[in-house]
Amino acid sequence: MSQRHPIISVTGSSGAGTTSVRNVFEQIFRREKITAAHIEGDAFHRYDRAEMKTKMAEAEAAGNRHFSHFSPETNLLAELAATFESYAATGTGQYRHYIHDQDEAERYGGTPGTFTPWENLPAPTDILLYEGLHGAVRHGDIDTGRHADVKIGVVPVINLEWIQKIHRDRATRRYSTEAVMDTILRRMPDYVHYICPQFTETDINFQRVPTVDTSNPFIARWIPTADESIVVIRFRDPHGIDFPYLLAMLHGSFMSRANSIAVPGNKFDLAMQLILTPIIMQLMDRKRRAQ
């Protein structure tokens, strides 16, 4: 943690919706005139797309059917932790981009499925925002979230998470349902061991829960809409959270536990704005006082 160079880490698994949370942060940064540096978890994969396919085939030939992007072995977790540590100390650090598609290839001047060269984060910036798989993971002597000031978990219930991933991968990557199912099964041990435990480390979790039948996610024809969902928001430390204010501002919300509030799905963005804006402004105030 750093008063001068605060870090926010948004973590969640593939298809969980971390990108939507990042978009809310960007709206807050723009409105409050905060200059943010961004890093994505995909940039800290160990292998590019072609190398990963080769490594996966080699692992399967050796009898390992659970070789996945979720594991510490396929990610540069030490380098990610070092980037957090460097930013907390100096306001900069090493990062790169993973080029997902042709649009990004044209933007960054590379080939889809590859990485851009390592470079320094832009400086000066007010805050660092991470969004990816491993923002609060502990593995051996590595603790990626140790230097993060605020850790956010984005956690749909698992059937909804699978529906979102199936629909995304079929639409954007042209995968078959069977191929996505294979990916889900391959990742499951790493999901249990490395993704789920992070959500006990996070300061706030946003978990979307459908209110319609998702009992068989592999035949679902559409993703449950915001109006067909509620969002359970859990605060690790509820002290200082103005729950009466949130209940008044978020019509239809209710307290489900002493540290949790349930919000209608169509109020998700508003809830994030109401909860995250004061947190960000507190970080900025602390930063100004530390100068």
Side-chain angles (χ1 to χ4, degrees):
M1 299 175 67
S2 169
Q3 292 186 349
R4 293 178 181 271
H5 309 292
I7 298 170
I8 298 174
S9 178
V10 179
T11 190
S13 64
S14 178
T18 55
T19 303
S20 299
V21 178
R22 172 178 167 168
N23 291 339
V24 170
F25 273 109
E26 289 178 342
Q27 292 173 29
I28 297 172
F29 295 153
R30 186 166 51 250
R31 184 180 66 239
E32 303 297 338
K33 296 180 173 57
I34 294 169
T35 303
H38 301 272
I39 57 175
E40 296 179 347
D42 289 355
F44 289 84
H45 288 331
R46 187 175 300 276
Y47 307 112
D48 66 22
R49 189 175 297 167
E51 290 172 333
M52 188 63 180
K53 287 181 180 179
T54 299
K55 295 292 183 181
M56 195 177 299
E58 291 173 353
E60 188 159 349
N64 178 7
R65 296 183 57 84
H66 300 293
F67 189 82
S68 83
H69 274 310
F70 286 6
S71 75
E73 291 74 24
T74 58
N75 290 276
L76 303 174
L77 297 185
E79 287 81 353
L80 175 59
T83 296
F84 282 173
E85 183 175 11
S86 174
Y87 188 89
T90 67
T92 188
Q94 288 281 298
Y95 84 120
R96 63 182 178 180
H97 294 285
Y98 176 76
I99 302 174
H100 294 87
D101 51 34
Q102 191 57 44
D103 288 343
E104 292 187 359
E106 294 175 2
R107 187 186 316 160
Y108 298 121
T111 303
T114 65
F115 301 104
T116 63
W118 291 101
E119 58 183 308
N120 286 325
L121 286 164
T125 54
D126 297 316
I127 199 167
L128 174 64
L129 177 65
Y130 166 89
E131 178 255 316
L133 292 171
H134 298 108
V137 72
R138 294 186 179 187
H139 177 66
D141 59 355
I142 297 172
D143 180 0
T144 61
R146 182 165 65 94
H147 293 284
D149 297 83
V150 180
K151 296 184 283 289
I152 308 293
V154 185
V155 203
V157 293
I158 195 162
N159 278 20
L160 176 57
E161 184 173 324
W162 289 351
I163 290 172
Q164 292 180 172
K165 179 168 177 56
I166 290 166
H167 280 251
R168 186 197 66 180
D169 285 1
R170 287 193 309 195
T172 64
R173 301 177 182 177
R174 306 304 182 198
Y175 291 176
S176 66
T177 300
E178 291 74 19
V180 185
M181 289 172 64
D182 287 343
T183 299
I184 290 170
L185 290 171
R186 185 175 66 251
R187 291 175 168 179
M188 189 53 62
D190 289 332
Y191 182 90
V192 170
H193 289 107
Y194 303 112
I195 302 300
C196 287
Q198 294 183 89
F199 302 123
T200 60
E201 304 292 332
T202 45
D203 300 298
I204 307 171
N205 284 336
F206 295 93
Q207 184 172 34
R208 190 155 78 94
V209 182
T211 57
V212 294
D213 182 21
T214 60
S215 53
N216 186 351
F218 303 107
I219 64 168
R221 295 185 179 181
W222 49 79
I223 300 172
T225 66
D227 288 330
E228 297 171 328
S229 308
I230 62 172
V231 178
V232 178
I233 306 170
R234 185 276 275 168
F235 301 87
R236 184 168 64 172
D237 181 4
H239 294 94
I241 303 300
D242 191 345
F243 287 110
Y245 171 74
L246 293 176
L247 292 170
M249 294 295 293
L250 300 166
H251 180 71
S253 62
F254 59 93
M255 296 285 294
S256 55
R257 281 189 177 176
N259 66 343
S260 302
I261 182 171
V263 176
N266 56 16
K267 299 288 196 303
F268 186 20
D269 282 8
L270 177 59
M272 285 191 289
Q273 293 274 355
L274 293 173
I275 292 167
L276 297 175
T277 299
I279 292 173
I280 292 171
M281 300 314 295
Q282 287 172 11
L283 293 176
M284 291 299 97
D285 182 61
R286 192 175 69 180
K287 176 184 176 72
R288 283 189 290 270
R289 288 187 279 110
Q291 299 296 336

